[in-house]
Amino acid sequence: HFPSLMSTLSFEPRKRVAVKLLRAVIEANSSLGDKEQLQTLFAFISPIIVDEVDTPPIEGDDALEEFSQEQQLVARLVSLMKHDDPKQLFAIYGAAKKQFGQGGLQRIRFTLVPLVFAYMQLSFTVEEANAAAKEAAAAAADGEEAAEDSSKSKISGKKCLKNVYDILKHLRSVDDYQDMALRLYLQAALTADAQKRDKLSEAFMERALEVYEDTADSKLQVQALQQTIGTLQSCNNFAAETYQTIIEQTFKKAKKLMKKEDQVRIVCQ
């Protein structure tokens, strides 16, 4: 009944209670290992994770700084989301993704970015767990049947990375977050490549190049292309045709750069 009692307070007292509770959870290093537990916490700290009817506008440097500090606290919750079962952790992340996605444009750059990295880390964890389970099943006398039965309840690295794709689509829709989205697309491409998911890695690279197209600042364009080429050079599992296609697209964009020295630097890289 605590959230109901809080609703009787005006906004500022509600927010102070929410921040105090959130700090207590973080300082206690409390593990958030249950989806329902997390959703209950979200209900308690609602004044700082969504805009409510009486949420005032953020005006002035002091208010903006206070807001940033609150959102950084919320973002730290991601590191407390833990579970030994990857399937349960995937469900916990899903609840966080849904809630954070409702936080509004000013909040998502704080809250969704750590969730991107959490999903990428989980993708490696589940791939390793699934590979180990497959090997164990193959070694058993009824390995084929066991592998078939267990696969029905498992998640995959691909599912985790598709959630990353969804989050980045949300982030890139905000002009101020374009540079951030581009760098995260490239990191996601590396993650997918490490798991030999050629199609997903290609999709992440293509989205990164699309974000580049929306970048008006020539200095940022140079940095973006340098990062893109560096990512391509670090990928080891692209099909030759796919790799060539992306390289050609990158070079075409490099030739459009305004300064000759920038063009030369990118092409020579």
Side-chain angles (χ1 to χ4, degrees):
H1 301 294
F2 187 63
S4 298
L5 291 173
M6 282 185 63
S7 67
T8 64
L9 302 173
S10 60
F11 178 79
E12 286 301 327
R14 287 203 319 274
K15 189 180 78 166
R16 286 197 295 270
V17 172
V19 171
K20 188 172 182 179
L21 175 60
L22 180 56
R23 287 189 185 279
V25 170
I26 293 172
E27 290 172 2
N29 198 30
S30 303
S31 178
L32 301 173
D34 180 81
K35 178 181 174 181
E36 286 69 32
Q37 176 193 30
L38 180 65
Q39 290 172 327
T40 299
L41 176 61
F42 284 154
F44 287 156
I45 64 172
S46 176
I48 55 177
I49 60 174
V50 294
D51 285 333
E52 300 186 327
V53 175
D54 55 348
T55 301
I58 303 170
E59 297 177 341
D61 293 340
D62 290 344
L64 184 59
E65 177 62 23
E66 182 180 356
F67 175 81
S68 297
Q69 291 177 359
E70 292 165 0
Q71 298 313 304
Q72 287 168 18
L73 286 174
V74 176
R76 289 174 64 182
L77 289 177
V78 176
S79 67
L80 299 179
M81 299 174 193
K82 303 172 184 176
H83 203 290
D84 292 335
D85 182 352
K87 185 178 179 182
Q88 295 300 319
L89 187 54
F90 183 82
I92 292 169
Y93 286 165
K97 175 191 170 190
K98 180 179 179 181
Q99 181 64 66
F100 292 162
Q102 298 170 359
L105 300 182
Q106 290 181 299
R107 291 184 179 89
I108 60 175
R109 70 184 180 96
F110 294 97
T111 56
L112 288 181
V113 172
L115 197 56
V116 166
F117 287 102
Y119 268 122
M120 287 194 282
Q121 180 58 51
L122 181 59
S123 72
F124 284 112
T125 300
V126 299
E127 286 298 293
E128 292 172 2
N130 289 347
K134 187 175 181 179
E135 289 180 7
D142 57 343
E144 186 175 338
E145 181 180 349
E148 181 180 350
D149 291 341
S150 63
S151 65
K152 295 178 181 179
S153 61
K154 289 180 179 176
I155 60 171
S156 65
K158 184 177 181 179
K159 286 184 178 180
C160 295
L161 293 177
K162 283 190 173 181
N163 277 277
V164 170
Y165 190 94
D166 291 342
I167 292 173
L168 295 185
K169 184 178 180 181
H170 197 25
L171 283 173
R172 68 168 289 191
S173 66
V174 185
D175 290 342
D176 291 344
Y177 305 161
Q178 294 274 302
D179 183 54
M180 179 194 302
L182 186 144
R183 286 183 279 113
L184 291 173
Y185 272 128
L186 295 177
Q187 185 61 50
L190 282 172
T191 301
D193 178 76
Q195 296 172 24
K196 298 182 179 180
R197 298 193 180 279
D198 182 83
K199 295 298 182 183
L200 259 179
S201 187
E202 179 183 3
F204 283 126
M205 290 298 301
E206 288 176 346
R207 297 298 84 75
L209 289 171
E210 287 175 1
V211 174
Y212 163 84
E213 292 281 9
D214 294 333
T215 303
D217 189 305
S218 60
K219 290 184 178 179
L220 290 178
Q221 284 184 327
V222 173
Q223 294 174 9
L225 283 177
Q226 289 174 331
Q227 291 167 354
T228 301
I229 292 172
T231 299
L232 282 169
Q233 291 173 336
S234 299
C235 290
N236 300 312
N237 297 299
F238 270 126
E241 183 178 347
T242 300
Y243 186 85
Q244 186 62 33
T245 298
I246 297 176
I247 282 290
E248 289 175 358
Q249 290 177 356
T250 304
F251 283 168
K252 285 180 182 178
K253 297 180 189 304
K255 292 178 181 178
K256 295 179 182 178
L257 289 175
M258 290 182 285
K259 294 182 179 179
K260 274 292 183 186
E261 58 266 32
D262 290 336
Q263 295 180 20
V264 172
R265 187 183 306 118
I266 293 297
V267 172
C268 289
Q269 188 174 340

